[in-house]
Short mmCIF file of all heavy atoms in Angstrom, two decimals:
data_model
loop_
_atom_site.label_atom_id
_atom_site.label_comp_id
_atom_site.label_asym_id
_atom_site.label_seq_id
_atom_site.Cartn_x
_atom_site.Cartn_y
_atom_site.Cartn_z
N HIS P 160 -108.07 159.00 48.15
CA HIS P 160 -109.10 159.85 47.46
C HIS P 160 -109.45 159.24 46.10
O HIS P 160 -108.55 158.73 45.41
CB HIS P 160 -108.58 161.29 47.24
CG HIS P 160 -108.24 161.94 48.49
ND1 HIS P 160 -109.11 162.62 49.32
CD2 HIS P 160 -107.01 162.09 49.13
CE1 HIS P 160 -108.52 163.11 50.34
NE2 HIS P 160 -107.22 162.82 50.25
N ILE P 161 -110.69 159.32 45.73
CA ILE P 161 -111.12 158.89 44.41
C ILE P 161 -111.89 160.08 43.76
O ILE P 161 -112.86 160.62 44.36
CB ILE P 161 -112.08 157.66 44.43
CG1 ILE P 161 -111.23 156.46 44.98
CG2 ILE P 161 -112.64 157.34 43.09
CD1 ILE P 161 -112.06 155.23 45.21
N VAL P 162 -111.41 160.55 42.62
CA VAL P 162 -112.07 161.58 41.84
C VAL P 162 -112.80 160.87 40.71
O VAL P 162 -112.23 160.07 40.00
CB VAL P 162 -111.05 162.58 41.31
CG1 VAL P 162 -111.74 163.59 40.42
CG2 VAL P 162 -110.30 163.27 42.45
N LEU P 163 -114.10 161.18 40.60
CA LEU P 163 -114.91 160.55 39.55
C LEU P 163 -115.26 161.53 38.45
O LEU P 163 -115.79 162.62 38.72
CB LEU P 163 -116.21 159.93 40.13
CG LEU P 163 -115.96 158.82 41.15
CD1 LEU P 163 -117.31 158.40 41.72
CD2 LEU P 163 -115.34 157.59 40.49
N THR P 164 -114.98 161.11 37.20
CA THR P 164 -115.41 161.97 36.08
C THR P 164 -116.94 161.85 35.95
O THR P 164 -117.58 162.83 35.61
CB THR P 164 -114.73 161.47 34.80
OG1 THR P 164 -115.13 160.17 34.49
CG2 THR P 164 -113.26 161.60 34.88
N HIS P 165 -117.45 160.66 36.16
CA HIS P 165 -118.90 160.42 36.21
C HIS P 165 -119.07 159.03 36.83
O HIS P 165 -118.12 158.38 37.20
CB HIS P 165 -119.57 160.52 34.83
CG HIS P 165 -119.06 159.55 33.78
ND1 HIS P 165 -117.72 159.43 33.43
CD2 HIS P 165 -119.75 158.67 33.03
CE1 HIS P 165 -117.64 158.50 32.47
NE2 HIS P 165 -118.84 158.01 32.25
N MET P 166 -120.33 158.61 37.03
CA MET P 166 -120.56 157.47 37.86
C MET P 166 -121.17 156.24 37.14
O MET P 166 -121.78 155.40 37.67
CB MET P 166 -121.42 157.85 39.04
CG MET P 166 -120.73 158.90 39.89
SD MET P 166 -121.51 159.35 41.47
CE MET P 166 -121.16 157.88 42.47
N HIS P 167 -120.88 156.18 35.78
CA HIS P 167 -121.23 155.02 35.09
C HIS P 167 -120.49 153.76 35.63
O HIS P 167 -119.37 153.95 36.19
CB HIS P 167 -120.90 155.19 33.55
CG HIS P 167 -121.98 155.86 32.78
ND1 HIS P 167 -121.75 156.40 31.54
CD2 HIS P 167 -123.28 156.07 33.10
CE1 HIS P 167 -122.91 156.91 31.12
NE2 HIS P 167 -123.82 156.72 32.03
N PHE P 168 -121.06 152.61 35.48
CA PHE P 168 -120.56 151.37 36.10
C PHE P 168 -119.08 151.15 35.70
O PHE P 168 -118.35 150.56 36.46
CB PHE P 168 -121.38 150.18 35.75
CG PHE P 168 -121.16 149.65 34.33
CD1 PHE P 168 -120.38 148.52 34.17
CD2 PHE P 168 -121.62 150.30 33.23
CE1 PHE P 168 -120.07 148.02 32.91
CE2 PHE P 168 -121.34 149.82 31.95
CZ PHE P 168 -120.57 148.68 31.79
N ASP P 169 -118.71 151.50 34.43
CA ASP P 169 -117.34 151.22 34.02
C ASP P 169 -116.33 152.21 34.45
O ASP P 169 -115.12 152.10 34.25
CB ASP P 169 -117.30 151.01 32.45
CG ASP P 169 -117.93 152.22 31.71
OD1 ASP P 169 -118.82 152.95 32.29
OD2 ASP P 169 -117.53 152.45 30.53
N HIS P 170 -116.81 153.26 35.12
CA HIS P 170 -115.87 154.31 35.66
C HIS P 170 -115.83 154.33 37.17
O HIS P 170 -114.89 154.85 37.75
CB HIS P 170 -116.30 155.69 35.14
CG HIS P 170 -116.02 155.86 33.65
ND1 HIS P 170 -114.95 156.52 33.17
CD2 HIS P 170 -116.65 155.33 32.57
CE1 HIS P 170 -114.92 156.48 31.81
NE2 HIS P 170 -116.01 155.74 31.44
N ALA P 171 -116.92 153.77 37.79
CA ALA P 171 -117.01 153.90 39.27
C ALA P 171 -117.32 152.60 39.92
O ALA P 171 -117.56 152.56 41.13
CB ALA P 171 -118.07 154.99 39.62
N GLY P 172 -117.31 151.53 39.21
CA GLY P 172 -117.66 150.17 39.75
C GLY P 172 -116.73 149.75 40.82
O GLY P 172 -117.07 148.89 41.66
N GLY P 173 -115.48 150.32 40.85
CA GLY P 173 -114.49 149.86 41.86
C GLY P 173 -114.62 150.60 43.18
O GLY P 173 -113.81 150.38 44.10
N LEU P 174 -115.61 151.49 43.36
CA LEU P 174 -115.69 152.25 44.62
C LEU P 174 -115.72 151.33 45.83
O LEU P 174 -115.01 151.60 46.85
CB LEU P 174 -116.93 153.16 44.67
CG LEU P 174 -116.90 154.45 43.87
CD1 LEU P 174 -118.25 155.19 44.19
CD2 LEU P 174 -115.75 155.24 44.26
N PRO P 175 -116.46 150.24 45.83
CA PRO P 175 -116.55 149.33 47.04
C PRO P 175 -115.19 148.67 47.35
O PRO P 175 -114.98 148.21 48.51
CB PRO P 175 -117.58 148.29 46.69
CG PRO P 175 -118.39 148.86 45.56
CD PRO P 175 -117.41 149.78 44.76
N ASP P 176 -114.27 148.71 46.43
CA ASP P 176 -112.91 148.10 46.74
C ASP P 176 -112.07 149.10 47.55
O ASP P 176 -110.99 148.71 48.02
CB ASP P 176 -112.14 147.82 45.40
CG ASP P 176 -112.81 146.62 44.71
OD1 ASP P 176 -113.41 145.73 45.43
OD2 ASP P 176 -112.67 146.54 43.49
N PHE P 177 -112.49 150.35 47.68
CA PHE P 177 -111.75 151.38 48.43
C PHE P 177 -112.76 152.07 49.43
O PHE P 177 -112.96 153.30 49.30
CB PHE P 177 -111.12 152.39 47.50
CG PHE P 177 -110.28 151.79 46.43
CD1 PHE P 177 -110.75 151.46 45.19
CD2 PHE P 177 -108.91 151.55 46.72
CE1 PHE P 177 -109.87 150.89 44.21
CE2 PHE P 177 -108.08 151.02 45.75
CZ PHE P 177 -108.56 150.67 44.50
N PRO P 178 -113.33 151.32 50.38
CA PRO P 178 -114.40 151.90 51.17
C PRO P 178 -113.90 153.02 52.10
O PRO P 178 -114.73 153.84 52.53
CB PRO P 178 -114.90 150.73 52.02
CG PRO P 178 -113.82 149.73 51.99
CD PRO P 178 -113.12 149.89 50.69
N TRP P 179 -112.63 153.10 52.34
CA TRP P 179 -112.08 154.16 53.27
C TRP P 179 -111.81 155.45 52.46
O TRP P 179 -111.50 156.49 53.10
CB TRP P 179 -110.73 153.62 53.82
CG TRP P 179 -109.83 153.19 52.72
CD1 TRP P 179 -109.03 153.91 51.92
CD2 TRP P 179 -109.72 151.86 52.27
NE1 TRP P 179 -108.47 153.14 50.98
CE2 TRP P 179 -108.82 151.84 51.17
CE3 TRP P 179 -110.25 150.57 52.69
CZ2 TRP P 179 -108.45 150.69 50.48
CZ3 TRP P 179 -109.87 149.44 52.00
CH2 TRP P 179 -108.99 149.49 50.93
N ALA P 180 -111.83 155.46 51.18
CA ALA P 180 -111.38 156.61 50.37
C ALA P 180 -112.49 157.64 50.33
O ALA P 180 -113.69 157.36 50.28
CB ALA P 180 -111.06 156.14 48.96
N LYS P 181 -112.04 158.90 50.35
CA LYS P 181 -113.05 159.98 50.16
C LYS P 181 -113.30 160.10 48.66
O LYS P 181 -112.38 160.08 47.87
CB LYS P 181 -112.44 161.25 50.76
CG LYS P 181 -113.36 162.47 50.61
CD LYS P 181 -112.78 163.68 51.36
CE LYS P 181 -113.60 163.92 52.61
NZ LYS P 181 -113.20 165.20 53.26
N VAL P 182 -114.59 160.29 48.33
CA VAL P 182 -114.93 160.28 46.89
C VAL P 182 -115.31 161.76 46.48
O VAL P 182 -116.13 162.39 47.19
CB VAL P 182 -116.17 159.37 46.69
CG1 VAL P 182 -116.66 159.50 45.26
CG2 VAL P 182 -115.88 157.92 47.07
N HIS P 183 -114.68 162.25 45.47
CA HIS P 183 -114.87 163.61 45.03
C HIS P 183 -115.63 163.58 43.69
O HIS P 183 -115.14 162.97 42.73
CB HIS P 183 -113.46 164.29 44.82
CG HIS P 183 -112.67 164.29 46.07
ND1 HIS P 183 -112.47 165.41 46.88
CD2 HIS P 183 -111.92 163.30 46.66
CE1 HIS P 183 -111.71 165.10 47.90
NE2 HIS P 183 -111.33 163.81 47.77
N VAL P 184 -116.75 164.24 43.68
CA VAL P 184 -117.57 164.16 42.41
C VAL P 184 -118.46 165.40 42.33
O VAL P 184 -118.76 166.04 43.36
CB VAL P 184 -118.45 162.88 42.44
CG1 VAL P 184 -119.47 162.83 43.55
CG2 VAL P 184 -119.07 162.59 41.12
N HIS P 185 -118.85 165.76 41.16
CA HIS P 185 -119.74 166.98 40.95
C HIS P 185 -121.08 166.65 41.49
O HIS P 185 -121.64 165.51 41.37
CB HIS P 185 -119.84 167.28 39.47
CG HIS P 185 -120.39 168.64 39.26
ND1 HIS P 185 -121.71 168.98 39.42
CD2 HIS P 185 -119.74 169.81 38.89
CE1 HIS P 185 -121.87 170.24 39.17
NE2 HIS P 185 -120.69 170.80 38.86
N ARG P 186 -121.66 167.63 42.16
CA ARG P 186 -123.00 167.47 42.76
C ARG P 186 -124.04 166.90 41.79
O ARG P 186 -124.87 166.02 42.11
CB ARG P 186 -123.46 168.77 43.38
CG ARG P 186 -124.80 168.66 44.13
CD ARG P 186 -125.23 170.02 44.68
NE ARG P 186 -124.26 170.56 45.56
CZ ARG P 186 -124.14 170.28 46.85
NH1 ARG P 186 -124.96 169.41 47.40
NH2 ARG P 186 -123.21 170.83 47.62
N ARG P 187 -124.05 167.47 40.60
CA ARG P 187 -125.09 167.05 39.62
C ARG P 187 -124.94 165.57 39.29
O ARG P 187 -125.94 164.87 39.03
CB ARG P 187 -124.90 167.85 38.31
CG ARG P 187 -125.45 169.30 38.40
CD ARG P 187 -125.19 169.96 37.10
NE ARG P 187 -125.79 169.26 35.93
CZ ARG P 187 -126.52 169.83 35.01
NH1 ARG P 187 -126.75 171.05 35.03
NH2 ARG P 187 -126.97 169.08 34.01
N GLU P 188 -123.72 165.07 39.24
CA GLU P 188 -123.54 163.64 38.92
C GLU P 188 -124.06 162.75 40.07
O GLU P 188 -124.76 161.73 39.83
CB GLU P 188 -122.06 163.38 38.64
CG GLU P 188 -121.72 162.01 38.13
CD GLU P 188 -122.36 161.72 36.79
OE1 GLU P 188 -122.82 162.63 36.12
OE2 GLU P 188 -122.42 160.55 36.46
N TYR P 189 -123.73 163.17 41.24
CA TYR P 189 -124.12 162.40 42.45
C TYR P 189 -125.64 162.36 42.55
O TYR P 189 -126.27 161.30 42.80
CB TYR P 189 -123.53 162.98 43.70
CG TYR P 189 -123.68 162.12 44.93
CD1 TYR P 189 -123.01 160.95 45.09
CD2 TYR P 189 -124.53 162.56 45.94
CE1 TYR P 189 -123.23 160.16 46.24
CE2 TYR P 189 -124.71 161.83 47.07
CZ TYR P 189 -124.07 160.64 47.22
OH TYR P 189 -124.25 159.86 48.39
N GLU P 190 -126.28 163.50 42.33
CA GLU P 190 -127.74 163.58 42.45
C GLU P 190 -128.35 162.76 41.34
O GLU P 190 -129.45 162.14 41.49
CB GLU P 190 -128.19 165.00 42.38
CG GLU P 190 -127.82 165.75 43.70
CD GLU P 190 -128.21 167.27 43.65
OE1 GLU P 190 -128.57 167.77 42.60
OE2 GLU P 190 -128.10 167.85 44.74
N ALA P 191 -127.74 162.69 40.15
CA ALA P 191 -128.30 161.93 39.02
C ALA P 191 -128.37 160.42 39.37
O ALA P 191 -129.38 159.78 39.17
CB ALA P 191 -127.50 162.15 37.76
N ILE P 192 -127.29 159.92 39.92
CA ILE P 192 -127.25 158.48 40.22
C ILE P 192 -128.15 158.14 41.43
O ILE P 192 -128.86 157.12 41.47
CB ILE P 192 -125.85 157.93 40.43
CG1 ILE P 192 -125.84 156.41 40.52
CG2 ILE P 192 -125.16 158.52 41.65
CD1 ILE P 192 -124.45 155.74 40.51
N LYS P 193 -128.20 159.09 42.39
CA LYS P 193 -128.99 158.83 43.62
C LYS P 193 -130.45 158.89 43.31
O LYS P 193 -131.22 158.23 43.98
CB LYS P 193 -128.62 159.91 44.70
CG LYS P 193 -127.31 159.70 45.37
CD LYS P 193 -127.18 158.49 46.19
CE LYS P 193 -127.68 158.71 47.54
NZ LYS P 193 -127.52 157.57 48.43
N SER P 194 -130.87 159.70 42.40
CA SER P 194 -132.31 159.88 42.11
C SER P 194 -132.93 158.60 41.66
O SER P 194 -134.15 158.36 41.84
CB SER P 194 -132.56 160.96 41.06
OG SER P 194 -132.30 160.48 39.80
N GLY P 195 -132.20 157.75 40.95
CA GLY P 195 -132.70 156.54 40.37
C GLY P 195 -133.60 156.74 39.17
O GLY P 195 -134.17 155.73 38.63
N LYS P 196 -133.73 158.02 38.75
CA LYS P 196 -134.59 158.23 37.59
C LYS P 196 -133.78 158.15 36.30
O LYS P 196 -132.65 158.52 36.23
CB LYS P 196 -135.19 159.69 37.72
CG LYS P 196 -136.12 159.90 38.85
CD LYS P 196 -136.73 161.29 38.78
CE LYS P 196 -137.43 161.61 40.10
NZ LYS P 196 -137.17 162.93 40.55
N ILE P 197 -134.44 157.68 35.26
CA ILE P 197 -133.77 157.67 33.91
C ILE P 197 -134.28 158.94 33.20
O ILE P 197 -135.38 158.97 32.64
CB ILE P 197 -134.16 156.39 33.13
CG1 ILE P 197 -133.75 155.17 33.96
CG2 ILE P 197 -133.50 156.37 31.75
CD1 ILE P 197 -132.29 154.78 33.97
N ARG P 198 -133.49 159.98 33.25
CA ARG P 198 -133.84 161.25 32.59
C ARG P 198 -133.27 161.35 31.20
O ARG P 198 -133.63 162.13 30.37
CB ARG P 198 -133.49 162.43 33.44
CG ARG P 198 -134.42 162.60 34.61
CD ARG P 198 -133.87 163.58 35.63
NE ARG P 198 -132.59 163.06 36.20
CZ ARG P 198 -131.99 163.52 37.27
NH1 ARG P 198 -132.53 164.53 37.90
NH2 ARG P 198 -130.91 162.99 37.70
N HIS P 199 -132.20 160.51 31.00
CA HIS P 199 -131.51 160.56 29.70
C HIS P 199 -131.11 159.12 29.44
O HIS P 199 -130.87 158.34 30.42
CB HIS P 199 -130.25 161.46 29.85
CG HIS P 199 -129.54 161.65 28.53
ND1 HIS P 199 -128.41 161.01 28.17
CD2 HIS P 199 -129.75 162.54 27.52
CE1 HIS P 199 -127.98 161.41 27.03
NE2 HIS P 199 -128.77 162.31 26.59
N TRP P 200 -130.98 158.73 28.21
CA TRP P 200 -130.82 157.28 27.97
C TRP P 200 -129.48 156.79 28.54
O TRP P 200 -129.38 155.61 28.93
CB TRP P 200 -130.97 156.98 26.47
CG TRP P 200 -129.79 157.51 25.59
CD1 TRP P 200 -129.70 158.74 25.01
CD2 TRP P 200 -128.62 156.75 25.21
NE1 TRP P 200 -128.52 158.82 24.36
CE2 TRP P 200 -127.83 157.62 24.44
CE3 TRP P 200 -128.13 155.48 25.56
CZ2 TRP P 200 -126.61 157.25 23.96
CZ3 TRP P 200 -126.92 155.11 25.01
CH2 TRP P 200 -126.13 156.01 24.23
N THR P 201 -128.49 157.68 28.64
CA THR P 201 -127.19 157.24 29.17
C THR P 201 -127.29 156.98 30.68
O THR P 201 -126.35 156.39 31.24
CB THR P 201 -126.07 158.20 28.91
OG1 THR P 201 -126.47 159.51 29.38
CG2 THR P 201 -125.80 158.35 27.39
N ASP P 202 -128.39 157.39 31.31
CA ASP P 202 -128.48 157.08 32.77
C ASP P 202 -128.65 155.60 33.01
O ASP P 202 -128.47 155.11 34.15
CB ASP P 202 -129.78 157.76 33.35
CG ASP P 202 -129.60 159.29 33.42
OD1 ASP P 202 -128.48 159.76 33.20
OD2 ASP P 202 -130.58 160.00 33.73
N GLY P 203 -128.89 154.81 31.96
CA GLY P 203 -128.91 153.37 32.02
C GLY P 203 -127.54 152.79 32.46
O GLY P 203 -127.39 151.56 32.75
N GLY P 204 -126.46 153.61 32.36
CA GLY P 204 -125.15 153.12 32.67
C GLY P 204 -124.81 153.25 34.17
O GLY P 204 -123.75 152.83 34.58
N TYR P 205 -125.78 153.68 34.98
CA TYR P 205 -125.52 153.73 36.41
C TYR P 205 -125.86 152.43 37.08
O TYR P 205 -126.86 151.77 36.76
CB TYR P 205 -126.42 154.83 37.05
CG TYR P 205 -126.05 156.25 36.72
CD1 TYR P 205 -127.08 157.15 36.36
CD2 TYR P 205 -124.73 156.73 36.78
CE1 TYR P 205 -126.73 158.47 36.07
CE2 TYR P 205 -124.43 158.03 36.45
CZ TYR P 205 -125.44 158.91 36.09
OH TYR P 205 -125.13 160.19 35.82
N ASN P 206 -125.05 152.04 38.07
CA ASN P 206 -125.36 150.89 38.97
C ASN P 206 -125.32 151.46 40.35
O ASN P 206 -124.24 151.68 40.92
CB ASN P 206 -124.34 149.78 38.80
CG ASN P 206 -124.40 148.75 39.83
OD1 ASN P 206 -125.44 148.57 40.49
ND2 ASN P 206 -123.31 147.97 40.00
N ARG P 207 -126.49 151.69 40.93
CA ARG P 207 -126.52 152.43 42.26
C ARG P 207 -125.90 151.60 43.39
O ARG P 207 -125.59 152.14 44.43
CB ARG P 207 -127.98 152.77 42.58
CG ARG P 207 -128.52 153.78 41.64
CD ARG P 207 -130.03 153.93 41.83
NE ARG P 207 -130.39 154.65 43.07
CZ ARG P 207 -131.58 154.57 43.68
NH1 ARG P 207 -132.50 153.80 43.13
NH2 ARG P 207 -131.75 155.19 44.79
N HIS P 208 -125.71 150.29 43.16
CA HIS P 208 -125.12 149.48 44.30
C HIS P 208 -123.68 149.81 44.58
O HIS P 208 -123.16 149.40 45.59
CB HIS P 208 -125.28 147.97 43.93
CG HIS P 208 -126.66 147.49 43.90
ND1 HIS P 208 -127.49 147.57 45.02
CD2 HIS P 208 -127.47 147.06 42.85
CE1 HIS P 208 -128.73 147.10 44.66
NE2 HIS P 208 -128.68 146.86 43.39
N ILE P 209 -123.08 150.58 43.68
CA ILE P 209 -121.65 150.97 44.00
C ILE P 209 -121.56 151.89 45.19
O ILE P 209 -120.55 152.18 45.71
CB ILE P 209 -121.02 151.67 42.78
CG1 ILE P 209 -121.73 152.95 42.42
CG2 ILE P 209 -120.91 150.72 41.58
CD1 ILE P 209 -121.04 153.78 41.37
N LEU P 210 -122.78 152.41 45.68
CA LEU P 210 -122.80 153.29 46.83
C LEU P 210 -123.37 152.59 48.08
O LEU P 210 -123.54 153.26 49.11
CB LEU P 210 -123.66 154.52 46.56
CG LEU P 210 -123.14 155.44 45.42
CD1 LEU P 210 -124.16 156.53 44.98
CD2 LEU P 210 -121.83 156.13 45.88
N ASP P 211 -123.59 151.30 47.99
CA ASP P 211 -124.20 150.56 49.13
C ASP P 211 -123.32 150.65 50.41
O ASP P 211 -123.86 150.51 51.54
CB ASP P 211 -124.42 149.08 48.76
CG ASP P 211 -125.62 148.91 47.84
OD1 ASP P 211 -126.34 149.89 47.59
OD2 ASP P 211 -125.84 147.76 47.34
N HIS P 212 -122.04 150.78 50.27
CA HIS P 212 -121.20 150.81 51.45
C HIS P 212 -121.15 152.26 52.10
O HIS P 212 -120.48 152.42 53.11
CB HIS P 212 -119.76 150.40 51.10
CG HIS P 212 -119.09 151.24 50.06
ND1 HIS P 212 -119.50 151.30 48.76
CD2 HIS P 212 -118.03 152.04 50.13
CE1 HIS P 212 -118.69 152.14 48.09
NE2 HIS P 212 -117.77 152.62 48.91
#
Side-chain angles (χ1 to χ4, degrees):
H160 302 276
I161 295 174
V162 175
L163 295 175
T164 62
H165 64 303
M166 299 188 75
H167 275 164
F168 79 101
D169 53 334
H170 291 256
L174 282 187
D176 290 332
F177 304 94
W179 52 81
K181 183 173 250 187
V182 178
H183 304 257
V184 65
H185 198 283
R186 182 182 302 277
R187 282 180 55 135
E188 186 65 14
Y189 188 71
E190 288 177 352
I192 190 172
K193 288 291 275 186
S194 80
K196 293 186 193 136
I197 303 284
R198 286 167 296 194
H199 187 260
W200 71 272
T201 56
D202 290 351
Y205 291 135
N206 169 21
R207 294 170 70 200
H208 293 299
I209 62 173
L210 295 170
D211 284 353
H212 61 292

